[in-house]
Amino acid sequence: QLQLVESGGGLVQAGGSLRLSCTASGRTFNGFTRYDMGWFRQNPGKEREFVAAVNWGGDNLLYANPVKGRFIISRETAKNTSYLQMNSLELEDTATYYCAAGRWGTLETNYYYWGQGTQVTVSS
C-alpha cells in the first residue's frame, strides 16, 4: 500500500513562508507507481478543501482561488516527493494540510491515498 508522509508544518507569522513536503513510499494496489498528487487542508468543524494539485510529470498544476499567486506546488518525481511552497501566509491559511495521491483533480474522490497531515498555524 502506498504511504504518504507530510512534513514542514509549524508556526509562522502572517506574511511569512513555509514549505511542506510529501514523500510517498510503497506502491498502489495495482502496482502502478505513476500517480498525481494533491494537497488539501482542513480546520475542525469545516470540510476538507482543495489547495493544489500536480500531475505525474510536474507540468500540469491546479490551484484553489484563495491560494493562487501565493502557493506553488511542485514535485520531484524520481524522489516520489511533492512540495507545497506557501508564501504570504494569512491567518485563514491555518489548517491541517494533507497530501494525497491518485488522479489529478480538485475533488477528494480523485485521490486514493492520504497522509496523516501536518499542522500549519499562522499567527498575527
Side-chain angles (χ1 to χ4, degrees):
Q1 185 177 11
L2 195 70
Q3 295 179 320
L4 305 177
V5 179
E6 303 97 335
S7 63
L11 176 65
V12 64
Q13 293 185 18
S17 299
L18 282 176
R19 188 192 191 196
L20 306 183
S21 298
C22 172
T23 299
S25 61
R27 65 181 187 178
T28 62
F29 73 97
N30 57 8
F32 291 154
T33 58
R34 297 184 178 185
Y35 42 80
D36 305 318
M37 301 185 75
W39 287 90
F40 291 74
R41 66 187 183 185
Q42 186 173 27
N43 275 321
K46 297 182 179 180
E47 296 182 357
R48 186 171 299 182
E49 64 175 344
F50 169 77
V51 176
V54 58
N55 71 333
W56 171 258
D59 55 353
N60 288 322
L61 312 176
L62 288 176
Y63 295 99
N65 287 331
V67 307
K68 286 183 178 179
R70 298 190 298 119
F71 290 10
I72 302 172
I73 188 171
S74 62
R75 74 184 299 172
E76 296 183 41
T77 304
K79 297 182 179 180
N80 298 315
T81 300
S82 173
Y83 303 97
L84 185 68
Q85 177 67 45
M86 305 184 294
N87 302 312
S88 301
L89 284 163
E90 304 170 353
L91 295 177
E92 292 74 17
D93 295 319
T94 295
T96 300
Y97 283 73
Y98 296 90
C99 173
R103 297 284 293 179
W104 184 83
T106 63
L107 304 177
E108 291 185 59
T109 53
N110 290 133
Y111 303 92
Y112 313 122
Y113 302 94
W114 295 82
Q116 293 180 307
T118 185
Q119 179 66 36
V120 173
T121 302
V122 183
S123 63
S124 61

